[in-house]
Amino acid sequence: MSSVLGVSVGSGAVRVARPLANSPEHPTAENFDVQAVPVGARRVEELAADAVGSILAADPHIVATAIAYRDEQHARAIRAEMARRQFTNYELIPDVVAALEFLEYSGELQGYGTVALYDLGASGLSVSVVDTGSRQINITERTSDISGDYLDSLIREQQIASGRIAHPPDAAGLAELDSLCRQAKEQLSSSSAVALPSTEGLVLLSQENFEALIMLAVESSARMTRDVILRSEQPVQAVALIGGCAQIPLVARVLRRWLGVPVIVAPGPGSVATRGAALLARPVRQRAANTPFPNAFEDALPMPAPAAPSWRSRRTDPTTGPGEKFSRRREISVAGVAVGALVVVAAIGVSIGWGPQVLEHDSQSSDAASSSVPPTTTRTPAVEATTAPPATSDATNESLAAPPPRQATTTTEAAPPAPGPNTFTIIPGLPPVVVPTLPPLFPQQPAP
């Protein structure tokens, strides 16, 4: 028979929960197999991955795993450790959502639309305002000013100050004393006094002494909860206590007095998120890997044109930027190509017999290209052009093979100017060149 696994990763312990067979429609704390593993000196993410791996190896019928996390940084650390162990069939769920899931299905939140979750654990306090219908978290805040570890330190200092417990000489003895104080705190939730022996003495604590020690801290947490509810601007109808310290009776009484709304404490508040994660566990669907494109398809695709370098589109200072020098060299090279093309065209024209005609026309002729007045031409009527028969392909080929005869044009050339002392003929057939007379460099001195 298939089963699921829920995991919550706390700073003090890693808890795992599996629903028992034939669980009722509304599960309670008794319908889950819950186990807690103290963290100790190990990293909590490493301990969580080891716990998941050992349970999956021992029970092959587990088909899905859900892990409750506190924040994004916590989730990244868990995901990295699970990836290192190559675990893939799991999902991460916010611990607020997991806790709300169990509280709803267990019937604890029946009739409440908006609730505040008061989560007091070993490392700190988280207060969240949640809409039970949409599962939307309106606001959440966390503080480490009050925590389970802080309450344990208050008990430890009180026991040392009373003279019954000697101060531990090393860190190991201090950790052992903290563990005894934590056990005393947990036992006081169901008894009025506890006495636990240790190597340094007897840990003796009553309910009255314990409440006097933690009263200021609990009232501070109630004040924080009230401020968070006011900032959320939501009509909170109840407060649900979860976390390991939620089972302290003083916490529920103080919150009820400060907030004036019903305070709900589910059985086993330390594993509420763990059991809610088990209820939300679903098998992760394996997605097929993306198949690469075949080589033929890649060859058929047109290659994109390379992008222009950034230095070509960058405008630089002409005095300092190297891009301006490159553009100038490019303009010079383009101009050189154009001049070379004109020289080639002129050489071809001279070789086919257009040279004399070109040399005949000077700058004063009426059909020169530089003249601003266009020559007067006689156009044939448009009717004759439309009624003319279409030319045949043979006639077209003949016209392309031999250029049409050039009609003689009659031009009236102006009489050349009379040659003077400064007139020189450089090339026959071209107009003479007149050299201007320069003034003398040194003016003549007047005669004495």
Side-chain angles (χ1 to χ4, degrees):
M1 182 178 179
S2 62
S3 180
V4 293
L5 177 65
V7 183
S8 64
V9 183
S11 60
V14 174
R15 293 179 174 84
V16 294
R18 286 178 291 179
L20 298 177
N22 301 324
S23 297
E25 181 181 359
H26 298 292
T28 60
E30 291 77 15
N31 303 124
F32 287 86
D33 179 16
V34 181
Q35 299 177 6
V37 181
V39 174
R42 301 184 60 185
R43 291 193 306 112
V44 63
E45 296 84 9
E46 181 182 355
L47 181 60
D50 288 343
V52 172
S54 60
I55 293 176
L56 293 180
D59 189 358
H61 300 291
I62 296 178
V63 297
T65 302
I67 304 175
Y69 67 91
R70 184 174 58 250
D71 50 26
E72 292 299 327
Q73 182 179 1
H74 194 201
R76 285 193 298 267
I78 296 173
R79 189 180 294 109
E81 191 64 32
M82 298 293 285
R84 194 174 68 85
R85 309 295 179 90
Q86 298 182 356
F87 294 151
T88 57
N89 189 18
Y90 74 96
E91 58 181 337
L92 296 178
I93 300 172
D95 53 1
V96 175
V97 177
L100 189 65
E101 179 74 15
F102 176 80
L103 293 175
E104 280 193 328
Y105 275 89
S106 62
E108 300 289 346
L109 299 182
Q110 186 175 3
Y112 300 115
T114 304
V115 298
L117 292 181
Y118 177 99
D119 186 1
L120 182 56
S123 60
L125 169 66
S126 299
V127 179
S128 306
V129 177
V130 188
D131 189 333
T132 60
S134 61
R135 305 292 179 89
Q136 181 181 1
I137 303 174
N138 296 312
I139 187 174
T140 181
E141 289 190 11
R142 182 174 177 81
T143 181
S144 59
D145 293 340
I146 176 174
S147 62
D149 293 340
Y150 175 69
L151 301 183
D152 298 339
S153 66
L154 293 178
I155 300 174
R156 180 192 63 203
E157 297 301 326
Q158 189 267 344
Q159 295 294 315
I160 296 176
S162 64
R164 292 188 302 270
I165 298 292
H167 197 285
D170 51 10
L174 190 62
E176 182 180 358
L177 180 58
D178 289 341
S179 178
L180 287 176
C181 294
R182 185 178 306 110
Q183 295 178 21
K185 179 188 64 178
E186 294 173 355
Q187 292 182 14
L188 284 176
S189 59
S190 57
S191 61
S192 59
V194 293
L196 299 176
S198 68
T199 57
E200 305 297 334
L202 181 64
V203 176
L204 182 60
L205 185 64
S206 64
Q207 185 73 37
E208 296 178 355
N209 293 336
F210 176 62
E211 291 182 354
L213 286 175
I214 67 174
M215 177 62 71
L216 293 179
V218 174
E219 289 182 346
S220 176
S221 69
R223 185 182 301 107
M224 172 185 169
T225 305
R226 183 190 60 185
D227 294 342
V228 172
I229 293 174
L230 292 177
R231 283 194 295 270
S232 69
E233 299 180 354
Q234 300 295 324
V236 174
Q237 301 171 352
V239 177
L241 306 187
I242 61 177
C245 296
Q247 58 188 353
I248 301 176
L250 178 65
V251 176
R253 295 200 308 267
V254 171
L255 288 176
R256 193 176 294 110
R257 185 174 69 249
W258 273 71
L259 303 179
V261 295
V263 176
I264 301 170
V265 182
S271 61
V272 169
T274 313
R275 288 172 282 172
L279 294 175
L280 292 173
R282 300 289 184 274
V284 178
R285 297 180 180 179
Q286 300 293 334
R287 294 175 294 181
N290 296 330
T291 56
F293 293 109
N295 295 332
F297 182 75
E298 291 181 354
D299 297 337
L301 291 176
M303 297 298 294
S310 59
W311 52 264
R312 295 186 62 181
S313 59
R314 187 184 300 116
R315 297 182 179 180
T316 57
D317 190 349
T319 61
T320 58
E324 183 67 20
K325 297 179 180 180
F326 176 81
S327 62
R328 290 179 180 177
R329 289 197 299 269
R330 184 176 180 183
E331 292 175 0
I332 294 174
S333 61
V334 172
V337 172
V339 172
L342 292 177
V343 172
V344 172
V345 172
I348 295 175
V350 171
S351 63
I352 62 177
W354 292 351
Q357 287 76 15
V358 173
L359 296 177
E360 288 179 0
H361 297 280
D362 54 5
S363 61
Q364 298 179 358
S365 62
S366 60
D367 56 347
S370 62
S371 175
S372 60
V373 180
T376 304
T377 58
T378 304
R379 300 182 181 179
T380 58
V383 178
E384 295 179 0
T386 55
T387 57
T392 60
S393 60
D394 295 339
T396 303
N397 294 335
E398 292 177 359
S399 63
L400 293 176
R406 189 172 60 254
Q407 296 181 359
T409 58
T410 303
T411 59
T412 302
E413 297 181 356
N422 297 334
T423 304
F424 301 94
T425 301
I426 299 177
I427 300 176
L430 292 181
V433 177
V434 179
V435 179
T437 303
L438 298 177
L441 183 61
F442 300 98
Q444 297 180 2
Q445 298 292 332

